[in-house]
Amino acid sequence: MVVIGGGYGGATAAKYIRMWDPSIEVVLVERDASFVSCPISNLVLAGYSSMEEISRGYDGLRRHGVTVVRDEVTAIDTARKSVKLANGADIAYERLIVSPGVDFEFSEVEGYESVMQAGAVLHAWKAGPQTVALRRQLEQMSDGGVYVLSVPMAPYRCPPGPYERASMVAAYFKQAKPRSKVLVLDANADVTSKAGLFKRAWSDLYPGILEYRGSAKVVGVERGAVRTDFETIRGDVLNVVPPHRAGDIAMKSGLITTNNRWCDVDWRTMESKAAKGVHVLGDATLSASGMPKSGSMANNHAKIAAAAVVELLNGRAPQPMKIINTCYSFVSQKEAIRVSSVHEWDGTTLQPVKGAGGVSAARSEAEGTYAWNWARTIWADSLA
Ligand SMILES: Cc1cc2nc3c(=O)[nH]c(=O)nc-3n(C[C@H](O)[C@H](O)[C@H](O)COP(=O)(O)OP(=O)(O)OC[C@H]3O[C@@H](n4cnc5c(N)ncnc54)[C@H](O)[C@@H]3O)c2cc1C
């Protein structure tokens, strides 16, 4: 078994295959030295958490008997059943799991790549060096400055993530630079997740600091300004999140099936509809109805795939699974809100279970405690 990507999907799948059948050899290929979590990374931007707190090594997986290879997969040969690494080596597989996360369509925002190379615009939509750089820009911005956050058209990874980020930056400004402003330019017509709860928090906690504009798609960026179809807006810190698609390796290997962006799968096994013996997980998938692109979902996809792989490699028929999603978002240092859903097999695909799940009644510190507990639990479930 080879697994590409040691994020929420890949790490969980590698661990659970080893736990459920220790006779299966699992090789995980991950290009980064350690796992850095996007969930909670918005708190790092506000100074409420740290990169150390959201990072984990891969020794936990090694203790489960997973062989962790630090390298980049540059090609998948589905006919020969092998993957090629950047160092030139080939690794053969019987079944392959691909959980590469997302990459970005930079060309859809005019000027993005040149301004990004100059360090004048960041997305920080993959936790890591850009998270640190964005925090530094926010710290260096003078009081009275404007932070612009642009949200791409859905689907993108973590529907509530941009609104949590806007809340966290506003919380930091309120405390450290109260004359500053957060301007959210959303390509979507309205807040795409937990809208009522976010808007309530913004009007209660950040009046005069946080401004939200829907149907405001950013189509261009230059040093110190972004452009929508209607106007040019100046900002001191530009945080433009470009449109998303499945990670590059899925694109290069012909796993993308839909809109040139996403990989359709059989939701009983996560097996690709484009390549037999290849299972695609997490953000890279063409989401089933009502299913967000989230770490919580990727972790659940991984369990479907792990169970299916164990059954298939042992000559048994995999059974469909019922899965759950829970996404917490902080709206202040201690208060959070939640959305959850349950998804079950209807004979064709996974569908949300009516009446199951929902959103928090109100923001609260109790939800904030649950959010931290959720994060620590999923990090342990995926990696320890
Ligand atoms: C700001 C923010 C906040 C978020 N908050 C939440 C939250 O509160 N709750 C929640 O559930 N979700 C949240 N998410 C979403 C969550 O981070 C993603 O949905 C999740 O990471 C998806 O898991 P994945 O396995 O698909 O991809 P990832 O976790 O991104 O993992 C992909 C891995 O594959 C590796 N990789 C890619 N290509 C290759 C290759 N060719 N060779 C080797 N390695 C490769 C990458 O280095 C990476 O480690 C948030 C996201 C953001 C940006």
Side-chain angles (χ1 to χ4, degrees):
M1 236 356 272
V2 172
V3 179
I4 304 175
Y8 278 91
T12 309
K15 171 179 157 179
Y16 272 77
I17 291 170
R18 291 288 306 162
M19 283 203 319
W20 287 338
D21 187 345
S23 74
I24 299 174
E25 196 190 324
V26 179
V27 179
L28 172 80
V29 186
E30 166 57 50
R31 63 181 164 214
D32 290 337
S34 54
F35 167 95
V36 186
S37 174
C38 287
I40 306 291
S41 69
N42 286 329
L43 277 70
V44 176
L45 299 177
Y48 301 149
S49 182
S50 64
M51 294 304 284
E52 292 68 41
E53 201 162 22
I54 64 169
S55 302
R56 295 288 182 280
Y58 287 109
D59 282 350
L61 294 185
R62 291 190 181 95
R63 282 194 287 275
H64 284 280
V66 176
T67 304
V68 181
V69 174
R70 183 172 175 203
D71 210 319
E72 172 141 1
V73 174
T74 55
I76 302 170
D77 185 335
T78 51
R80 284 185 49 231
K81 291 189 145 191
S82 70
V83 302
K84 183 164 275 313
L85 304 187
N87 73 11
D90 290 308
I91 310 179
Y93 66 80
E94 205 171 331
R95 286 196 166 263
L96 175 67
I97 288 182
V98 184
S99 191
V102 292
D103 276 299
F104 303 108
E105 296 282 11
F106 292 113
S107 61
E108 291 187 18
V109 183
E110 204 188 330
Y112 200 105
E113 274 175 284
S114 61
V115 186
M116 179 171 66
Q117 268 150 27
V121 63
L122 296 165
H123 53 76
W125 217 243
K126 291 186 183 189
Q130 287 216 2
T131 314
V132 177
L134 182 55
R135 169 68 183 157
R136 196 173 307 126
Q137 289 189 359
L138 292 167
E139 283 178 309
Q140 285 168 354
M141 193 187 88
S142 53
D143 191 6
V146 177
Y147 160 76
V148 178
L149 170 63
S150 104
V151 186
M153 197 63 92
Y156 56 86
R157 86 173 352 171
C158 194
Y163 315 113
E164 177 186 59
R165 177 168 294 181
S167 309
M168 288 298 90
V169 176
Y172 167 60
F173 285 172
K174 186 174 173 178
Q175 175 195 319
K177 319 185 177 207
R179 292 189 298 121
S180 309
K181 202 169 157 182
V182 173
L183 176 59
V184 183
L185 300 175
D186 195 340
N188 301 284
D190 200 356
V191 171
T192 62
S193 174
K194 299 179 264 197
L197 289 163
F198 274 117
K199 287 181 180 172
R200 180 75 201 263
W202 296 343
S203 65
D204 287 352
L205 302 173
Y206 311 118
I209 296 181
L210 195 156
E211 182 188 342
Y212 174 82
R213 294 188 203 164
S215 301
K217 182 176 172 187
V218 166
V219 295
V221 59
E222 59 195 58
R223 213 173 245 285
V226 296
R227 214 175 55 251
T228 67
D229 283 328
F230 309 104
E231 56 182 334
T232 297
I233 299 160
R234 302 210 64 77
D236 299 280
V237 174
L238 304 182
N239 184 189
V240 177
V241 182
H244 293 26
R245 61 166 167 74
D248 285 341
I249 189 66
M251 182 85 153
K252 279 199 274 186
S253 321
L255 297 174
I256 290 188
T257 55
T258 311
N259 299 334
N260 279 329
R261 296 214 169 173
W262 307 115
C263 307
D264 200 3
V265 296
D266 178 335
W267 289 100
R268 280 168 304 188
T269 57
M270 306 305 296
E271 190 165 11
S272 160
K273 292 212 174 148
K276 281 215 162 325
V278 179
H279 303 252
V280 183
L281 316 181
D283 290 352
T285 55
L286 172 68
S287 305
S289 164
M291 193 183 270
K293 296 189 182 297
S294 70
S296 180
M297 241 16 319
N299 172 278
N300 277 254
H301 294 170
K303 289 168 188 169
I304 297 180
V309 161
V310 167
E311 294 304 278
L312 289 163
L313 291 180
N314 283 290
R316 299 185 294 258
Q319 298 301 317
M321 279 169 70
K322 191 180 278 189
I323 59 173
I324 54 167
N325 182 72
T326 306
C327 280
Y328 290 94
S329 305
F330 280 87
V331 292
S332 66
Q333 181 169 5
K334 297 221 167 112
E335 294 168 309
I337 55 181
R338 172 192 34 87
V339 58
S340 47
S341 53
V342 181
H343 304 258
E344 73 180 348
W345 180 251
D346 72 349
T348 314
T349 183
L350 287 176
Q351 289 286 0
V353 176
K354 287 197 181 74
V359 299
S360 327
R363 68 175 186 275
S364 69
E365 290 197 7
E367 295 275 24
T369 305
Y370 303 149
W372 269 110
N373 290 344
W374 170 86
R376 293 190 181 108
T377 305
I378 198 168
W379 295 335
D381 186 47
S382 304
L383 292 141

